[in-house]
Amino acid sequence: MAASTESYMYMDQSAFHYDYETLRTTGVILAVVMFVTGILIALSNKFKCSKSKSSPVEGLQPPKTEVPPQTV
């Protein structure tokens, strides 16, 4: 009886087959998408969009305060 249960377990595992073509295609597509996304992110820091020269963030700078000279 133990032999039939053991052979049933092995038969169930051998019935499962990977679809290697789909796995390979999906992996290549994901690799290309992640590679292109990484390149775009890396290049986005070098090339800034310059739609308007006067942005409110650049105009608002904290006022500079004068620091008195140190005496020893």
Side-chain angles (χ1 to χ4, degrees), residues 15-46:
F16 183 77
H17 296 287
Y18 284 106
D19 185 8
Y20 288 108
E21 188 66 28
T22 303
L23 285 174
R24 180 178 291 157
T25 305
T26 304
V28 168
I29 290 171
L30 285 175
V32 168
V33 167
M34 289 189 290
F35 178 76
V36 169
T37 303
I39 295 296
L40 289 175
I41 290 171
L43 292 178
S44 69
N45 292 333
K46 292 185 178 184

